[in-house]
Amino acid sequence: MNNRTLLLCSAGMLGALSFLPAQAQTTEDETDAKRLGTVTVTAQKREENILDVPLSVQAIGAESLENSGIKDVGGLVKLIPGASVVSSSSRGFETIQIRGIAAGTTGDGLTGYYVDDFAFGVPNLQLSPPARLLDLKQVEVIRGPSGTIWGQGSMGGNIRLITEDPTTDAFSGKLLGEYSSTEGGADNYAVDGVVNIPVVADKFAIRISGGYDELGGFADVLQSGEKNANDSQGTNLRIKALFTPSDRLTLRATYWTIENEQGFNNAVITTNPVTGVPLPEPAINGAGSVTNGPVDGFTNTAMDIGSLAVNYEFDAVTLTSSTSYTTHELDFEAPLTLGFFNYNNNSTFETDSFTQELRLTNNDDGAFKWIAGVYYRDATIDSDIDFYFDGTDFLLGEIPLISIVGPLQTKSWSIFGEASWELFDGKLVPLVGVRYFEDERSSGPGLDRVTSLVRPEQSVSFDKVSPRFSLKILPSDNATVYVNIAHGFRSGTIQTPSQVAAAAALGVPAQEGVEPDELWTYELGAKIASADGAFLFDGAVYQTAWSDIQQPFGALSSVANVGDATIRGIDLGAAWYTPVEGLSLQANANIQNTEWNEVRPNITASLPFVRAGGELLAVPEQTFSVAATYERPVDVLGGSTLSLSSAYAYRSDTLQQTGGRTDDIKDVSLTANLKTGQGWTLGVFGYNLTDEDGANQLSTFAGNPIVRPYPRRIGVKLGVDF
C-alpha cells in the first residue's frame, strides 16, 4: 500500500461525512441497545461515548463473544481488524499482534493487556492472559500505540478485559452447560456458573464466577499410537467484591485463579520426522528413545491475580488507586526431532509481578479535561530451561545442550498525563499526552548446568519519553474526524550467553544487553453514526515507522536489534441495526503492507527472511470478518426469543521464519439460541464449520510441524438464569 493509496482512502473517509443524514427525531422508547453511537468505552481511562474518542477503538460485548464462539483471548483476533495470532503453542501460550507490530515471541510484549484496571505481562515473553472469557461486561480494543496512559508494551495496541461488577440490588445467577463433538477427535464438555450475592443493600455485594471445560484432542502420537493426545482441560474461578460505603468511595477487590493443562501442544507433524514420508493424517511427535519409550509431552499454564481498585470522587477530581499482584507459570515438555536424533525441551518459567497505579482525573464537564498519574511495576521471571539430547539408545544417557537456571527482574516506574481543550464550542479538540518511563533490569546470579559456570549478576537501565498528539474535529453531532500521532516504546532486555553464542554461530552479531525498540504511528480516522444511532462506521488509515526492532531467531530464540520497518494500512468497520426488525450486521476489514527498510549488516546473510524490501514475519496483508444476527419473538412459546447468528472470518497467508508461508485461514461459525420467558436457554452451535485444516503456523523442526485451526465442532448448550 503506497502513499497515494493512503491519500485516496483518507479523502474517501472525509468525503463520506458530507453524506451524513440530517438530524431526525427519535422516539422516547428507542433503547440504547439500538443506538450504536451510545456505546461507552474507557480507552482514555475515563468513560466516553465511542464516537468522541480520537482513537481506533472497538467494544466487543459479551453477546458478540458468545455468538462467535470465542472462549479465549486468542480467539478475539477474528473480530479485530489487522490482528492475528503470531504463535499458538497451547491454551494460554499465545502471542497476538495488532497492526503489523509482530516480532516473534521472545522479548517484552508488543500488545498490551489489562484485566479491568490492572496490567498483565510476563517479562521477556510475549504472552496473552490465559483467561477463559467468562462473565465479561465487554472487551475494549485499541488499535495503534496507546502507551501514553496504558504503558510500555502497548506498541501495536491494547486489549482490556472488563469483568462484570457485582450488583447490590438482587440475588441472581446463571448456569450453562455445553457438549460438542470434534471432527476426527474426542468430545468436549464445559460447565460455567455465575452467582451474584448482595450482602448489604446498596453497599456490599459479591460475584462469583467459574467453570471447568475439557477440549478433546484430535491427533494421535506417531510413536505410541495414543489417541487424541493433545486434549486439554481448564479451570477458572473469579471472586469479585464491590463495596460502596459512601456515594464518593468505591472499592473493588478481585481474586482470579486459572489453570490450563494440555497434552503435548498445538503442533502436529505432517511427515515422518525420520523418513520424511508424508503422513496420511497429522500426528503428534512423541519421539523418545527406544529404551525409555515415547515422551509424554505437556504444556501447562496457571495464573493467579489478586487486585484492589479504590475510587474516591472529590468535588473537582477522582482519585483512583489500582494495586495488583500476579503469579504466572508456564511449564512444558516438548519432544523434538532433528535428523535421526531426538531431543527434548523441558522448561519452566515462573513469574511474580506487583503493580501499583495512582491517577487523578478531573471531573469538570467544561472545556478542559486532564488525567495524570504514576505507575510502578516490580516483576521477576525465574527461568529453568533444560534442552537435551536423548542419547540413551547410544549408551550416552541424556546429554544437556542448554541447561540454564536464573532470574530476570524488572523494576520500572513512569509518570504520565494527558490534557485536552475544547475549542469553538467543542468542534475542535486538541490533545497532548506524555509518559516518562524508566526501567532497571537485572539478571542472575544464574547457573549454566552444562559448563557448571555461575552467570554473574548484571544490570542495565532504559528510559524513554513517549508522547501523543491528537486533534479531534466534530463536523456534526454524529461524526468525528481525528488525527492521532503516537509514540510506542518497548523496553530492552538481557539474554543469556548461550543465546549470544547461538546468534554468533549463525553469523548474527548480538549482545547480552538488547536495546529497546520504538515506533511512531501517524493516523487519520473518522467515525460516523446515523442520526438514529442504528448505523456506525469506523475507519482509519495509518503509517508506522518502527526502528531498532528486537527480532528473535534460531532454536534458542536469540534476540538482536536487526533493523527498521514501515507499516501502512487501513482499518474499516461498520455495524448496522437494519430496518428489518431484529436483524443486525457487522463487518470489519484491514489491508496493510509491511516492509523492512533497513537491515543491519550481516543479518540478511544469516537470516534471509530479514531483508530490505521484505515483509515482516507472521503479519497478514488482509483480514476481514462479517457477522449477522437475527432475533425475533416466538409468541407460541410465551415470551421466548429466538436468535440466529452467523460469522465468517478471513486471514491471508503470512511469511514464517522457515521461509515458507502459511495458508489462508477461513472460519465459519453458526449459533442458534432459544431463550424462554422463564430464563432457560437452549442452543446449538457449530464452529469452524468448513473444517479448515490449513497451516497457520510453521516450524523448522523435522516432521514439518504445523499449527492448524481446531477441527469442526458441533454441539448443544443448556443454560438457566435465576
Side-chain angles (χ1 to χ4, degrees):
M1 178 178 292
N2 56 32
N3 290 330
R4 175 181 173 85
T5 304
L6 285 175
L7 289 172
L8 289 173
C9 293
S10 305
M13 286 194 301
L14 292 173
L17 297 178
S18 63
F19 294 96
L20 285 174
Q23 184 70 35
Q25 296 293 322
T26 58
T27 60
E28 290 184 358
D29 60 354
E30 185 175 42
T31 65
D32 282 350
K34 300 294 185 182
R35 293 181 57 84
L36 294 162
T38 63
V39 174
T40 299
V41 295
T42 54
Q44 298 186 121
K45 292 198 172 181
R46 66 167 74 235
E47 290 191 354
E48 297 175 286
N49 187 308
I50 195 169
L51 274 176
D52 296 333
V53 179
L55 291 168
S56 290
V57 58
Q58 65 187 114
I60 305 171
E63 187 173 354
S64 294
L65 296 175
E66 181 180 353
N67 291 338
S68 303
I70 295 173
K71 306 295 185 183
D72 53 31
V73 176
L76 287 171
V77 300
K78 293 188 292 184
L79 304 180
I80 305 172
S84 65
V85 175
V86 174
S87 173
S88 177
S89 297
S90 72
R91 295 177 60 162
F93 190 3
E94 294 181 311
T95 301
I96 295 170
Q97 70 81 25
I98 300 176
R99 282 191 172 178
I101 309 303
T105 61
T106 303
D108 280 14
L110 293 166
T111 299
Y113 300 98
Y114 268 71
V115 178
D116 289 326
D117 220 19
F118 314 102
F120 170 85
V122 175
N124 212 36
L125 287 176
Q126 299 181 43
L127 298 181
S128 60
R132 181 171 167 85
L133 303 185
L134 171 68
D135 197 33
L136 296 185
K137 180 180 179 181
Q138 68 182 23
V139 177
E140 294 182 8
V141 181
I142 301 173
R143 303 188 300 274
S146 49
T148 306
I149 58 175
W150 294 104
Q152 77 97 15
S154 301
M155 292 177 69
N158 191 76
I159 298 175
R160 182 176 177 226
L161 310 179
I162 303 176
T163 63
E164 283 283 8
D165 273 341
T167 58
T168 59
D169 53 354
F171 177 86
S172 62
K174 56 185 175 182
L175 291 172
L176 177 66
E178 285 186 7
Y179 164 80
S180 62
S181 62
T182 302
E183 182 72 23
D187 294 343
N188 315 286
Y189 309 88
V191 178
D192 296 315
V194 179
V195 60
N196 185 87
I197 308 171
V199 179
V200 180
D202 300 325
K203 296 292 184 183
F204 183 51
I206 297 174
R207 191 176 185 93
I208 303 172
S209 58
Y212 173 81
D213 69 286
E214 293 188 8
L215 192 62
F218 59 87
D220 305 338
V221 179
L222 178 66
Q223 292 79 3
S224 68
E226 180 185 353
K227 297 292 185 182
N228 303 322
N230 56 345
D231 61 324
S232 64
Q233 302 80 38
T235 60
N236 75 96
L237 173 67
R238 184 170 69 241
I239 304 172
K240 189 172 185 179
L242 174 69
F243 182 40
T244 54
S246 71
D247 292 339
R248 292 179 177 267
L249 179 62
T250 302
L251 297 92
R252 294 176 176 86
T254 304
Y255 172 71
W256 196 357
T257 180
I258 299 167
E259 290 187 7
N260 297 310
E261 297 180 352
Q262 179 167 335
F264 293 89
N265 50 51
N266 288 341
V268 292
I269 54 175
T270 56
T271 64
N272 188 297
V274 177
T275 66
V277 175
L279 299 173
E281 295 289 341
I284 296 170
N285 184 10
S289 63
V290 175
T291 304
N292 296 331
V295 175
D296 190 13
F298 64 88
T299 308
N300 299 333
T301 57
M303 180 178 73
D304 289 273
I305 298 177
S307 62
L308 175 65
V310 181
N311 277 62
Y312 191 87
E313 294 188 13
F314 297 94
D315 291 338
V317 298
T318 295
L319 172 66
T320 300
S321 170
S322 303
T323 309
S324 72
Y325 181 76
T326 303
T327 64
H328 181 278
E329 181 175 350
L330 169 64
D331 184 16
F332 62 86
E333 183 166 9
L336 306 167
T337 300
L338 290 173
F340 292 94
F341 303 107
N342 296 323
Y343 302 81
N344 200 23
N345 187 350
N346 190 346
S347 299
T348 301
F349 303 90
E350 296 180 347
T351 302
D352 295 276
S353 178
F354 170 80
T355 67
Q356 174 65 57
E357 179 174 295
L358 288 172
R359 69 176 183 270
L360 289 172
T361 308
N362 76 317
N363 297 331
D364 190 353
D365 291 331
F368 183 64
K369 293 181 174 60
W370 58 267
I371 181 173
V374 294
Y375 177 83
Y376 175 77
R377 179 192 186 204
D378 184 346
T380 300
I381 180 170
D382 287 299
S383 303
D384 188 340
I385 302 171
D386 190 11
F387 182 73
Y388 61 87
F389 165 64
D390 189 348
T392 307
D393 292 338
F394 306 96
L395 303 180
L396 298 175
E398 296 177 352
I399 302 176
L401 302 176
I402 305 165
S403 189
I404 301 169
V405 60
L408 173 70
Q409 184 178 40
T410 171
K411 292 185 177 182
S412 64
W413 68 272
S414 55
I415 182 169
F416 63 90
E418 283 188 349
S420 63
W421 189 282
E422 298 179 0
L423 304 175
F424 306 109
D425 197 26
K427 297 297 184 182
L428 186 69
V429 185
L431 178 147
V432 177
V434 66
R435 189 182 195 100
Y436 176 73
F437 170 87
E438 284 193 9
D439 185 13
E440 296 285 340
R441 298 216 167 190
S442 61
S443 67
L447 175 64
D448 187 331
R449 290 178 295 219
V450 175
T451 63
S452 298
L453 295 177
V454 175
R455 181 159 53 98
E457 184 174 355
Q458 58 177 315
S459 61
V460 293
S461 61
F462 309 102
D463 63 86
K464 202 67 181 179
V465 175
S466 190
R468 175 193 170 205
F469 309 96
S470 174
L471 181 64
K472 179 172 66 174
I473 304 169
L474 302 179
S476 75
D477 292 341
N478 304 316
T480 298
V481 178
Y482 63 89
V483 176
N484 190 55
I485 302 173
H487 179 266
F489 171 75
R490 175 169 59 158
S491 190
T493 191
I494 303 172
Q495 59 185 338
T496 67
S498 297
Q499 289 174 296
V500 175
L506 293 173
V508 178
Q511 295 79 36
E512 291 187 37
V514 181
E515 292 299 313
D517 49 2
E518 60 183 315
L519 57 78
W520 282 94
T521 292
Y522 308 87
E523 177 177 352
L524 171 64
K527 302 178 184 183
I528 309 168
S530 61
D532 61 359
F535 178 80
L536 177 64
F537 167 83
D538 179 10
V541 292
Y542 57 89
Q543 177 167 309
T544 297
W546 189 6
S547 59
D548 296 323
I549 298 174
Q550 301 176 39
Q551 178 67 54
F553 56 91
L556 300 188
S557 293
S558 303
V559 182
N561 299 101
V562 299
D564 307 334
T566 298
I567 302 163
R568 300 182 178 94
I570 178 171
D571 289 338
L572 296 171
W576 184 27
Y577 284 109
T578 72
V580 178
E581 186 175 354
L583 178 63
S584 61
L585 304 175
Q586 290 182 308
N588 291 295
N590 171 272
I591 302 173
Q592 64 184 351
N593 172 266
T594 66
E595 182 178 348
W596 289 99
N597 300 327
E598 178 184 349
V599 177
R600 304 289 184 265
N602 303 327
I603 295 292
T604 302
S606 302
L607 308 174
F609 55 86
V610 179
R611 59 178 179 84
E615 65 187 276
L616 297 183
L617 297 177
V619 178
E621 289 188 358
Q622 301 175 32
T623 64
F624 70 82
S625 66
V626 292
T629 300
Y630 179 65
E631 294 185 359
R632 63 168 298 161
V634 184
D635 296 332
V636 295
L637 296 179
S640 298
T641 301
L642 176 66
S643 64
L644 305 173
S645 298
S646 62
Y648 173 83
Y650 170 82
R651 189 222 67 193
S652 63
D653 65 326
T654 66
L655 177 65
Q656 300 284 289
Q657 194 169 134
T658 62
R661 304 192 71 87
T662 66
D663 296 309
D664 294 350
I665 299 298
K666 310 171 188 68
D667 181 86
V668 178
S669 64
L670 292 172
T671 62
N673 294 310
L674 178 66
K675 299 182 179 181
T676 73
Q678 293 74 39
W680 289 91
T681 298
L682 175 64
V684 295
F685 58 86
Y687 306 140
N688 188 15
L689 283 173
T690 59
D691 198 26
E692 182 81 13
D693 61 358
N696 55 19
Q697 187 179 331
L698 306 179
S699 173
T700 57
F701 292 102
N704 294 322
I706 67 169
V707 174
R708 57 150 291 174
Y710 191 83
R712 175 168 51 228
R713 291 175 59 194
I714 297 178
V716 296
K717 58 184 176 182
L718 178 65
V720 61
D721 295 346
F722 56 88

